[in-house]
Amino acid sequence: MSGYLVPYQDSGSEFTEKRSRFISQLWRVETEAEARAHLEAVRKQYYDARHHCWCYLLNGGAVRYSDDGEPQGTAGQPMLNVFQRQCVTNVCCVVTR
């Protein structure tokens, strides 16, 4: 595959597994500041959530992720790996539990 994929619109979903509620949100971002702003907005919106696992990738720039208290390597890194395998960039994803 040549090139890369970029989300064209914001997206979100929610599901419950073993009495845990998971809320996922995805945005197209152009800068690290924009990605961090989305993350902070989610933290404010769901202030009582236990975890906000996230990742973001910018074309030719930052690649960051966090498990936010989940066992190391079980949330942020796997999310990041999915986007990297599919050649998706300029994306920010937060999963709230």
Side-chain angles (χ1 to χ4, degrees):
M1 173 184 220
S2 64
Y4 55 90
L5 303 172
V6 176
Y8 68 93
Q9 70 182 31
D10 299 343
S11 181
S13 66
E14 182 177 328
F15 73 95
T16 302
E17 177 74 25
K18 297 180 183 175
R19 297 187 321 217
S20 288
R21 181 179 170 206
F22 294 86
I23 304 163
S24 66
Q25 298 179 68
L26 181 127
W27 302 271
R28 177 183 180 153
V29 294
E30 299 294 327
T31 66
E32 193 165 0
E34 192 178 351
R36 294 220 174 254
H38 284 299
L39 177 57
E40 289 307 314
V42 169
R43 285 185 172 145
K44 287 180 184 176
Q45 181 180 4
Y46 298 105
Y47 62 90
D48 57 344
R50 300 184 98 178
H51 306 283
H52 301 285
C53 304
W54 55 269
C55 72
Y56 59 85
L57 294 86
L58 300 174
N59 185 29
V63 175
R64 309 265 191 274
Y65 67 91
S66 172
D67 296 321
D68 192 38
E70 293 283 4
Q72 186 175 357
T74 63
Q77 182 70 55
M79 291 169 18
L80 180 65
N81 291 344
V82 169
F83 292 122
Q84 289 174 324
R85 277 194 308 269
Q86 297 300 317
C87 299
V88 177
T89 191
N90 287 15
V91 62
C92 175
C93 181
V94 180
V95 177
T96 301
R97 180 172 82 94

